[in-house]
Amino acid sequence: MTTAAPSLPQDEVELRRTRHLHPTQWRNPEPASRYHLVVIGAGPAGVAAARAAAAAGARVALLERAQIGGTSLNTGCVPSKALIRTARLCADLRDAARYGARVSDETAPPDFGRAMERMRRIRARLADDDSARRLVASGIDLFFGEARFAGTDCLRVDGTMLHFAKALIATGARPNIPAIPGLVETGYLTHENIFDLTTLPPRMLVIGGGPLGCEMAQAFCRLGAKVTLVQDRPLFLPREERDAAQLLSDALARDGIAIRLNNRITAVRGQGETRFVEMVSDNYHSTVEVDAILTGIGHVANVDGLDLERAEVECNRASGVRVDDFLRTSNPRIYAAGDVCMEHKYAHAAAAAARLAVSNALFRGSERLSRLVIPWCTFTDPEIAHVGLYVREANRRGIPVKTYTVPMHEIDRAVIDSEREGFAKIHVQDHTDRILGATVVARNAGDMINGLTLAMESGLGLRRLERVIHAYPTQAEVIRAATDAYRASRLTERVRARLTRWLDKT
Amino acid sequence: MSEKYSATPASAAAGRPSLDALDDESLLDRLQRAACDYFTQAGNPHNGLMADTSREGSPSSIAVTGFALSCYPVAVERGWMSRAEALQRSLAALRFFRASEQSDRPDATGYKGFYYHFLDMHTGGRTWTCELSMIDTAMLIAGMLTAREYFDTDAAAERDVRELADEIYLRVDWHWAQDGKSTIRQGWKPECGFLHYGWDGYNEAIVLYALAAGSPAHAITDECYRAWTLTYQWENLYGHDFLYAGPLFVHHYSHAWIDFRGIRDRFMHEKRCDYFENSRRAALVQREYARRNPNGFAGYGESCWGLSACDGPSVGRLDASGEPHRLFGYSARGVPYGPDDGTVSAPAVLASLPFEPQLALQGLRHMLAQYPEMLSGDRLAASFNPSLADSHGRPWVSDGHYGLDQGIVAMMIENHRSGLPWRLMRRNPWLVRGLRRAGFRGGWLENVAPETSR
């Protein structure tokens, strides 16, 4: 039984987005005889690279086969965060009485259709920033069509040959669909089409407890769906701190999500509009009945049809295009950046890497990807943000670590806001003040991690950070509290005794 | 067969002075005796198996049976049990486990030398579809080895104890339990193989790793213990530097058998600490959490703390500080991230006695005075919750008693009073060998002969 995929309403908002991102009457420009840089893929990495190169005076061609903006704008960060905003509001409204606020009808279900409309309006609005018109105005030759390498220094886009001195592959990645018997036949959603929905599936099952799975499970639950979240491991977000993942698990359970950790899905059956999802945990078998399935575990690099072998660019299915620390592929003329080649699949990481690749490719730079300090955040409630090393990584590298832990219940603003759950953990090289990494779990952890990223990038240790005055009362004061703990732990009994003796003398 | 094993405390307390009138030594004596008595009341004398809880129909827990074997020597030395009875009870258990079915059949008692977490009190076969448990097997074996060290005369029966304990220990295939991975797996089931529960970070497993490293027959790999310690987190929390683990019991269980004073592995050497001192700091962190009481639960304070793995309320409505709270039933409660529903465990506080005697006793006396309902026949209930009080202001109290609580209380009081369990295990060659292989050095370990196998 196959269920039709959702279809996006073709209204004025969507037409506007299309006008921005892939105008229907578009005519590709006459190509230059040779480009300094050809960029394949106009997602966050491709656009950032093309803009940076054009701004520096390079002749740049930017190639896109579908829509400018890539996953982030069209089917990733932007629509998901717009929806999460509504979902968070729904949760706050449900919680209104606790704050002494009143809602006229607490039982009224959220208006999913309007929430999706809002999301689409916002997406169309933000599409303007990277519109075809703007890119052309900044001096970029924009080509729409399928790109295919024809040699080590040339490629074709819809039959037109482009020659390049350097090229950047920034084609991104798509969701990996788990091989579950019956899944394809019964139909499923991924992040590529979930934002096309106009009606809320009453019962939804999310396969995979990574960042996207957790975010969407919580958002759809708060928007009124009965959600089951299935993860084949003991905790969600397996890469994150155990305590962070545990707090998230508790938060998701509190929202009413049916949590199935350590469960492996064995089969999916369809009957009418209903899907029966069979799973096993150890030796316990169960079946969950739902109306929609969201999946996508991991990513597959978008390299099909690029004819990479003609360009002598090596690639493998698991990790995508192979690059060195300078983002150079096996063909020294060709670089890659973003989801197509990087482990960390975030829009901001892709854009930062793309600018680094441009510097290395065009201006003989020797910047290393591994030197970038890249934070990331899972936008659940509470948010889970991280930067730098995890303790287990530091331990493996033989770096002694000490973690300054401050629970959010220690922070006045978190208490004031009734948002006491969470913590900041700042990992420091033991016996020094050098910050190795940090994890923040808080309602707005994504904003709070930026201060720590700045400190790490600038080489500021806890001793210098101690001098930064934080506005009171803010939740970011959790960083100040960690520096207080650092200072207190330096003041050993012996040091304190010496200070007292000195004070007595003065 | 409908024989029941009830651990309802005898009304021994009747007619005796109330606990709050006793000095510390007498108070501890009364509590310890009641805890030890659990093992004479809740066991099957035919096979030595010990009930998990005093509740009707409770299966046997192998860890509780390990605690029982460890507590018999205590009871003998305190004059609460004859040596002959202790010997008989120990032999019953050892003979049962020696003869029990070791196979991959789903109703066997064990496999590869390990045992199922819960066993039928009568048949000794696997109960429910529970897992073959590595940590619970380690606690059972630790109990057997305690008996091995205690029964040290040339009498034939005592020799039997030693031989059986060695035989049972030596057949445990600890290496198999790694399943080719860098660390020990937590469990296994015949229906699905090894369980893949996360078991990262510091936990109660040092005794497991030490016994697994000490085996001359089936030891874990050289890097196994170190691989586990690479998941540790050394944290500064509430002004204390310590090896972090949330639930209090984690800081106790291995300590029931291992005297960690002054001995250090590589991790503790780097941190200039030891596991004993670490457990002391863990008690301080717990107390500090209760003092700060972020969720505003009733009763919490400097003398009322102890978030641990324990029974707890699961039905009812809990509002504290004007906010609704979820209830967690039996759960591994911990500090500072919870889960926390206002439930605290007095046995966990008492088990901190060797590390922080004053604080533990102060806490215990306060809790006993404020919430006397949590004590029945001198025996501590698993937990209580003052935030869930009845109309008379009486807290919710966990029903009956848990063998794990009674075992850890009896052993940690003894370790505090005389150090007998530590002393016995300090001379166990397998444990000594395992600690050394795990990289422990210093302290009493330096004074033990390299291989003291008898």
Side-chain angles (χ1 to χ4, degrees):
Chain A
M1 174 78 207
T2 306
T3 305
S7 65
L8 195 59
Q10 290 306 310
D11 53 13
E12 175 49 34
V13 171
E14 280 309 307
L15 291 174
R16 181 149 49 96
R17 184 164 70 98
T18 305
R19 270 202 305 277
H20 287 319
L21 304 180
H22 191 155
T24 41
Q25 301 300 318
W26 183 262
R27 291 185 61 177
N28 284 339
E30 274 300 310
S33 57
R34 187 166 181 261
Y35 285 98
H36 294 121
L37 181 70
V38 168
V39 179
I40 310 162
V47 168
R51 281 187 188 280
R59 260 193 319 281
V60 185
L62 176 61
L63 282 50
E64 172 57 50
R65 68 175 174 183
Q67 288 180 318
I68 298 166
T71 298
S72 174
L73 173 63
N74 297 296
T75 60
C77 302
V78 170
S80 68
K81 272 61 207 176
L83 210 56
I84 284 170
R85 179 67 188 92
T86 305
R88 188 176 274 211
L89 184 59
C90 293
D92 284 346
L93 289 175
R94 252 169 242 154
D95 225 9
R98 190 173 143 216
Y99 289 82
R102 233 179 233 145
V103 180
S104 57
D105 183 2
E106 284 174 15
T107 57
D111 187 340
F112 183 76
R114 286 194 67 174
M116 295 305 265
E117 259 178 55
R118 172 181 175 275
M119 177 275 292
R120 290 195 298 273
R121 271 200 316 277
I122 287 165
R123 186 168 61 174
R125 156 72 188 80
L126 294 180
D128 181 42
D129 294 346
D130 285 335
S131 67
R133 184 176 52 80
R134 287 194 183 218
L135 290 173
V136 170
S138 60
I140 296 165
D141 278 1
L142 179 62
F143 294 82
F144 282 103
E146 295 283 346
R148 192 178 285 271
F149 282 100
T152 55
D153 63 352
C154 57
L155 53 73
R156 283 179 200 282
V157 53
D158 274 0
T160 305
M161 182 71 87
L162 306 184
H163 293 273
F164 57 79
K166 296 285 164 57
L168 178 77
I169 302 168
T171 46
R174 62 184 183 279
N176 182 34
I177 306 306
I180 297 168
L183 181 63
V184 172
E185 293 79 0
T186 47
Y188 56 86
L189 299 165
T190 69
H191 73 77
E192 290 183 327
N193 60 358
I194 193 168
F195 301 110
D196 296 350
L197 288 173
T198 49
T199 54
L200 179 74
R203 298 165 304 175
M204 185 168 170
L205 183 130
V206 179
I207 304 174
L212 182 86
C214 290
E215 287 180 5
M216 287 300 97
Q218 190 177 42
F220 274 79
C221 172
R222 289 175 162 192
L223 288 167
K226 188 173 180 303
V227 176
T228 304
L229 178 55
V230 185
Q231 163 84 329
D232 63 358
R233 297 181 185 213
L235 277 175
F236 299 120
L237 306 182
R239 211 170 58 181
E240 299 297 340
E241 291 258 349
R242 187 182 56 166
D243 291 323
Q246 187 59 55
L247 280 179
L248 176 61
S249 197
D250 296 345
L252 296 178
R254 212 167 35 241
D255 270 320
I257 294 171
I259 288 174
R260 298 292 194 96
L261 289 166
N262 273 324
N263 269 263
R264 187 171 53 82
I265 296 178
T266 52
V268 180
R269 287 181 287 115
Q271 195 178 332
E273 293 297 306
T274 304
R275 289 132 168 100
F276 297 87
V277 184
E278 294 168 11
M279 57 193 89
V280 61
S281 173
D282 297 342
N283 52 332
Y284 176 72
H285 295 261
S286 60
T287 303
V288 176
E289 209 177 308
V290 293
D291 306 295
I293 297 170
L294 171 66
T295 186
I297 297 173
H299 296 83
V300 185
N302 287 327
V303 293
D304 298 345
L306 284 177
D307 283 352
L308 288 179
E309 57 286 357
R310 288 196 186 187
E312 297 174 9
V313 171
E314 290 176 14
C315 177
N316 78 50
R317 189 180 156 74
S319 55
V321 171
R322 194 172 67 77
V323 289
D324 62 16
D325 206 17
F326 304 100
L327 291 168
R328 199 166 42 193
T329 68
S330 48
N331 176 344
R333 286 175 181 276
I334 301 176
Y335 289 68
D339 293 1
V340 75
C341 63
M342 285 161 53
E343 183 196 350
H344 299 310
K345 296 188 175 8
Y346 304 100
H348 55 276
R355 286 189 282 267
L356 179 150
V358 167
S359 165
N360 289 348
L362 299 186
F363 305 108
R364 297 182 183 176
S366 55
E367 296 178 46
R368 291 176 178 272
L369 178 66
S370 57
R371 300 296 292 271
L372 292 182
V373 181
I374 302 171
W376 54 81
C377 183
T378 298
F379 293 90
T380 43
D381 186 5
E383 294 176 351
I384 294 171
H386 179 84
V387 64
L389 288 182
Y390 292 98
V391 171
R392 58 178 176 273
E393 288 173 328
N395 285 344
R396 258 185 238 126
R397 294 187 199 180
I399 306 171
V401 193
K402 177 170 173 179
T403 299
Y404 289 90
T405 300
V406 183
M408 289 307 292
H409 61 239
E410 292 297 292
I411 306 305
D412 287 4
R413 185 56 190 265
V415 176
I416 291 166
D417 291 340
S418 292
E419 293 170 3
R420 297 186 309 260
E421 297 220 325
F423 59 78
K425 289 193 184 197
I426 302 183
H427 312 307
V428 173
Q429 184 169 347
D430 208 357
H431 310 302
T432 76
D433 74 335
R434 182 179 159 228
I435 302 173
L436 300 169
T439 295
V440 179
V441 179
R443 209 162 194 218
N444 295 303
D447 286 332
M448 288 152 70
I449 203 73
N450 293 329
L452 290 161
T453 308
L454 173 68
M456 286 183 68
E457 176 57 40
S458 316
L460 299 180
L462 281 189
R463 201 182 284 231
R464 287 289 302 280
L465 215 49
E466 210 181 305
R467 293 165 56 184
V468 176
I469 300 169
H470 288 78
Y472 179 88
T474 55
Q475 293 199 14
E477 272 198 300
V478 73
I479 296 166
R480 180 202 46 77
T483 63
D484 285 351
Y486 167 75
R487 186 179 55 238
S489 80
R490 269 191 309 148
L491 287 174
T492 58
E493 286 301 320
R494 223 169 62 188
V495 174
R496 255 198 296 268
R498 280 171 63 185
L499 279 173
T500 307
R501 280 199 300 275
W502 182 80
L503 284 167
D504 286 344
K505 283 183 201 164
T506 57
Chain B
M1 187 162 161
S2 61
E3 198 174 349
K4 285 180 185 168
Y5 304 101
S6 162
T8 308
S11 52
R16 291 197 289 163
S18 69
L19 291 175
D20 56 359
L22 299 176
D23 62 21
D24 288 348
E25 186 62 17
S26 308
L27 171 66
L28 291 176
D29 193 78
R30 283 263 294 270
L31 293 171
Q32 189 185 18
R33 178 166 193 176
C36 275
D37 282 350
Y38 178 90
F39 300 113
T40 55
Q41 294 163 6
N44 179 346
H46 305 298
N47 57 17
L49 293 180
M50 209 48 62
D52 182 42
T53 75
S54 64
R55 294 173 186 172
E56 177 97 30
S58 166
S60 170
S61 149
I62 56 167
V64 174
T65 306
F67 272 120
L69 288 164
S70 309
C71 286
Y72 297 145
V74 173
V76 175
E77 293 302 306
R78 294 271 160 213
W80 303 326
M81 184 186 280
S82 69
R83 188 174 179 103
E85 185 185 347
L87 181 61
Q88 190 188 10
R89 287 177 174 276
S90 302
L91 272 174
L94 287 160
R95 285 178 179 143
F96 163 74
F97 281 105
R98 167 64 191 85
S100 65
E101 182 177 346
Q102 281 278 321
S103 79
D104 60 359
R105 275 166 42 111
D107 57 353
T109 298
Y111 180 52
K112 296 277 183 187
F114 291 92
Y115 300 95
Y116 288 101
H117 193 162
F118 298 108
L119 303 174
D120 185 282
M121 283 295 289
H122 306 288
T123 67
R126 178 194 190 197
T127 297
W128 307 312
T129 54
C130 71
E131 84 287 8
L132 194 78
S133 170
M134 283 60 188
I135 181 62
D136 292 284
T137 296
M139 293 201 279
L140 172 64
I141 299 280
M144 293 176 176
L145 297 180
T146 307
R148 175 200 196 266
E149 300 309 325
Y150 183 70
F151 295 108
D152 57 356
T153 73
D154 282 336
E158 298 207 2
R159 252 199 332 265
D160 281 354
V161 167
R162 297 196 291 272
E163 283 166 11
L164 286 165
D166 278 351
E167 190 178 344
I168 291 167
Y169 168 70
L170 291 170
R171 76 181 181 188
V172 184
D173 193 344
W174 311 96
H175 185 254
W176 167 80
Q178 279 185 251
D179 189 29
K181 310 283 195 315
S182 59
T183 55
I184 298 175
R185 305 295 91 194
Q186 196 172 8
W188 178 90
K189 288 185 178 186
E191 295 84 1
C192 59
F194 283 100
L195 310 183
H196 60 174
Y197 293 104
W199 215 26
D200 285 354
Y202 179 51
N203 56 44
E204 70 278 22
I206 297 188
V207 68
L208 163 63
Y209 277 89
L211 291 175
S215 172
H218 307 289
I220 48 176
T221 55
D222 288 340
E223 307 77 24
C224 186
Y225 178 73
R226 176 74 183 151
W228 175 51
T229 63
L230 286 180
T231 66
Y232 281 6
Q233 296 214 12
W234 182 255
E235 300 200 16
N236 176 285
L237 176 63
Y238 300 145
H240 300 282
D241 291 347
F242 80 132
L243 173 55
Y244 163 74
L248 194 48
F249 83 95
V250 165
H251 300 280
H252 297 152
Y253 275 28
S254 288
H255 296 255
W257 292 279
I258 305 176
D259 180 1
F260 283 106
R261 290 173 299 180
I263 65 169
R264 292 167 164 183
D265 59 3
R266 187 169 149 188
F267 181 87
M268 281 299 174
H269 182 78
E270 280 171 7
K271 301 301 180 192
R272 298 169 199 163
C273 189
D274 63 42
Y275 288 96
F276 181 92
E277 167 63 16
N278 196 66
S279 291
R280 191 185 73 80
R281 296 179 191 178
L284 294 175
V285 167
Q286 283 259 345
R287 181 167 168 264
E288 185 56 25
Y289 173 86
R291 190 189 69 74
R292 298 181 189 213
N293 192 9
N295 296 306
F297 287 122
Y300 279 26
E302 286 190 334
S303 300
C304 186
W305 44 281
L307 274 78
S308 193
C310 62
D311 189 26
S314 50
V315 289
R317 186 183 159 76
L318 175 57
D319 294 295
S321 298
E323 297 185 9
H325 289 273
R326 284 170 65 210
L327 298 169
F328 297 103
Y330 195 99
S331 182
R333 293 169 172 78
V335 165
Y337 311 117
D340 182 7
D341 57 5
T343 306
V344 289
S345 161
V349 173
L350 193 47
S352 291
L353 190 67
F355 315 111
E356 266 293 351
Q358 260 192 321
L359 291 190
L361 274 164
Q362 182 197 347
L364 183 77
R365 283 189 182 279
H366 171 85
M367 291 190 271
L368 283 172
Q370 292 292 310
Y371 311 106
E373 301 84 358
M374 59 126 166
L375 194 79
S376 52
D378 288 353
R379 198 173 290 161
L380 295 169
S383 58
F384 64 97
N385 187 324
S387 295
L388 269 181
D390 65 13
S391 55
H392 303 288
R394 289 179 300 216
W396 174 92
V397 176
S398 169
D399 188 26
H401 296 101
Y402 280 70
L404 287 176
D405 295 327
Q406 304 312 315
I408 195 72
V409 160
M411 285 187 75
M412 292 309 241
I413 290 180
E414 193 58 35
N415 277 324
H416 169 70
R417 294 177 83 183
S418 74
L420 174 69
W422 287 341
R423 216 165 47 244
L424 291 172
M425 287 303 275
R426 280 204 305 246
R427 62 184 199 222
N428 181 260
W430 315 128
L431 181 70
V432 168
R433 189 170 187 269
L435 287 170
R436 285 193 175 126
R437 266 200 81 208
F440 280 86
R441 299 286 183 272
W444 58 265
L445 262 178
E446 302 303 310
N447 304 322
V448 184
E451 292 291 332
T452 52
S453 178
R454 282 185 298 232

